Amino acid sequence: MADSLVYVYAVTDATQELPAVTGVDDTSVRQVVSGGLAAVVSSVDPTRFSEEALRRSLEDLQWLESTARAHHGVVAAVAQSGPVAPVRLATVYLDDDNVRALLDDNGPAFAAALDRIRGRTEWGVKIFAAPTPGGAESPAVDDTRPGTSYLLRRRAERDRAARGLQDAVAAAEAAHGDLAAVAVASRRYAPQDPRLSGHREEMVLNAAYLVDEAGAAALHRLIEDRDEPTLRLELTGPWAPYSFATLEEQ
Amino acid sequence: MTDLPSKIQLDPEAIGRDLGRLVLTIVELVRQLMERQAIRRVESGDLPDETVERLGLGLMRLEEAMTELREHFGLRAEDLNIDLGPLGDLLPRSTFRD
C-alpha cells in the first residue's frame, strides 16, 4: 500500500493563492497544478482513507462531522480569494498523477464551472409554513351537544390545516419565482425533515441561488420586504457555490 | 461491518417509557383513524344526530384519556410517532396539536 493517499477538496484556478488552513485529519493543505487548474489537496493516511476505511468511517457520525467541518473549512478559506469548485466529501485519489489526470480529463468542464461562479456567491433560502392562527373561524360551540361540537371543531381544524399548508406552498412557489428571477441560477432541494432543520414548522421551500453582487443585494431586499403572515423565510450565506460548481455538474 | 455495541444498557425506567410510547402510538393511530372516519360520515350526512353526538362524545373522551396517559409517561404529542423510513411517518404530522 502507498505511503499516503491524496484527499481532494476543490478545484481552483492555478493562479489562486493557497490560504493557511488545516485540512482533514489535521493534515496540511497543498496544491496539485496542471495546466490552468489547481486541485487543493492533502496527503492523508491510507489506513484511515482507503476505500474500505472510508466505508466504515462514513457511518461514524463523529468522524463525519469533524471531516465535513475540515473539508468545508478548506473550501470556504479557498473561496475567500477566488472561484472554487468544491469536490464531494471524501474524494480520495491514489497519488498526485491521478489528480493531474482528473484535472486534464475534465479541464474544460472545470474551467466552465469556475467561470460560471466567478464573482458570484451562493445563498440558501428556506421557507417555513408559519403555524396557522386558530380560533378565528371555529364553529359555534353548542353546550347541549358537546360530542357534536367536538367533531365539528376537529373538522374545522383539519380543513384549516390543509388550507394553511396549501396557501403556504403556493406563496413559497411565488417567492421562489421572484428569487430565481434575480439569480444567475437556482436549485431546489427536497424540504428537510423538522427533526433535521430543528424547526417544528413544515418546510415548504429549500433552495439555493447563485447571485452576483447586485443579485445578492436584490435577494436581500426581496427577503426583507416579503411580508407574508403565512411564511417564515430564512436566508443563509454567502456560501462557496456548492450547489452550482460540484463535480457532478458536468 | 459495523461493530455491535459491547454492552446493551437495560434501564428499566427507559424500557417502561419506550413501551408506553409504543402502545400509545398504536392507540393514537387507531383513534385518529376512527376520528377521521367519523368526520367523513358526519360530512356525508347519513347519520342521525344522536349517533353523531354519541360518536363525538366517545372520541372526545378518548382524546382526553390519551392526553392524560401521555402526560403520565412524560411524552409530548409529537413523540407519539414512528418513523417508517421511506414510507414516512406513521401519523401525519399536521394532526398534532399542542
Side-chain angles (χ1 to χ4, degrees):
Chain A
M1 194 181 269
D3 290 346
S4 66
L5 295 170
V6 185
Y7 183 104
V8 185
Y9 303 91
V11 175
T12 63
D13 296 323
T15 51
Q16 191 162 332
E17 268 178 49
L18 200 60
V21 61
T22 308
V24 295
D25 209 20
D26 287 326
T27 53
S28 57
V29 175
R30 59 189 177 85
Q31 281 176 317
V32 175
V33 177
S34 183
L37 296 170
V40 181
V41 306
S42 284
S43 298
V44 291
D45 186 340
T47 59
R48 281 204 287 282
F49 285 87
S50 69
E51 207 179 325
E52 195 197 340
L54 279 177
R55 216 179 5 246
R56 262 198 318 268
S57 301
L58 284 170
E59 289 175 17
D60 177 349
L61 282 183
Q62 226 170 350
W63 181 92
L64 197 60
E65 188 195 341
S66 64
T67 305
R69 280 184 194 283
H71 183 98
H72 175 69
V74 172
V75 173
V78 175
Q80 296 286 318
S81 50
V84 53
V87 172
R88 190 202 276 264
L89 183 74
T91 301
V92 178
Y93 285 85
L94 271 180
D95 54 31
D96 285 7
D97 284 341
N98 280 299
V99 176
R100 268 189 285 272
L102 163 82
L103 294 181
D104 293 342
D105 293 348
N106 303 288
F110 277 128
L114 290 174
D115 283 340
R116 185 166 60 233
I117 58 176
R118 204 175 296 278
R120 293 165 176 164
T121 50
E122 174 176 338
W123 293 81
V125 176
K126 294 188 173 71
I127 302 185
F128 299 89
T132 37
E137 44 186 313
S138 291
V141 177
D142 179 357
D143 284 337
T144 59
R145 306 187 84 83
T148 310
S149 302
Y150 171 82
L151 279 183
L152 294 178
R153 199 167 63 237
R154 292 309 306 244
R155 185 174 72 168
E157 278 169 9
R158 183 199 64 184
D159 293 348
R160 193 165 50 226
R163 233 185 1 254
L165 192 61
Q166 257 170 26
D167 290 353
V169 168
E173 283 303 320
H176 171 68
D178 293 347
L179 294 168
V182 302
V184 179
S186 66
R187 187 173 243 202
R188 295 182 64 164
Y189 296 100
Q192 288 167 345
D193 189 278
R195 274 165 300 184
L196 201 64
S197 64
H199 295 285
R200 283 200 52 201
E201 302 121 303
E202 190 86 23
M203 192 185 288
V204 286
L205 181 78
N206 183 13
Y209 302 90
L210 184 69
V211 292
D212 53 25
E213 226 168 286
L219 194 78
H220 275 89
R221 263 199 311 281
L222 277 174
I223 299 277
E224 280 157 21
D225 293 350
R226 192 162 280 274
D227 181 26
E228 244 150 322
T230 52
L231 299 183
R232 202 172 58 71
L233 291 82
E234 205 177 270
L235 178 69
T236 57
W239 302 102
Y242 276 100
S243 302
F244 303 98
T246 48
L247 270 180
E248 291 82 353
E249 278 290 286
Q250 306 159 39
Chain B
M1 264 249 308
T2 326
D3 289 334
L4 288 169
S6 54
K7 191 167 69 175
I8 296 172
Q9 288 188 342
L10 292 176
D11 174 356
E13 212 162 284
I15 292 177
R17 188 174 180 269
D18 288 349
L19 191 60
R21 179 176 158 181
L22 179 62
V23 172
L24 286 189
T25 299
I26 306 286
V27 176
E28 176 65 12
L29 171 68
V30 175
R31 194 194 69 76
Q32 285 190 15
L33 289 176
M34 277 165 38
E35 190 171 275
R36 257 177 280 171
Q37 181 66 17
I39 291 172
R40 266 200 293 274
R41 295 202 53 189
V42 170
E43 279 175 334
S44 68
D46 60 357
L47 289 179
D49 289 356
E50 289 317 309
T51 314
V52 172
E53 176 61 21
R54 233 181 35 240
L55 257 176
L57 261 183
L59 287 165
M60 186 168 78
R61 301 237 164 88
L62 195 52
E63 199 206 18
E64 287 164 3
M66 280 301 294
T67 308
E68 271 172 37
L69 278 169
R70 221 178 57 219
E71 280 163 5
H72 173 78
F73 284 99
L75 297 165
R76 295 166 303 168
E78 65 264 32
D79 289 333
L80 297 192
N81 213 339
I82 296 175
D83 181 2
L84 299 176
L87 295 177
D89 291 331
L90 180 66
L91 300 176
R93 250 185 276 121
S94 56
T95 59
F96 292 135
R97 298 185 302 164
D98 288 312

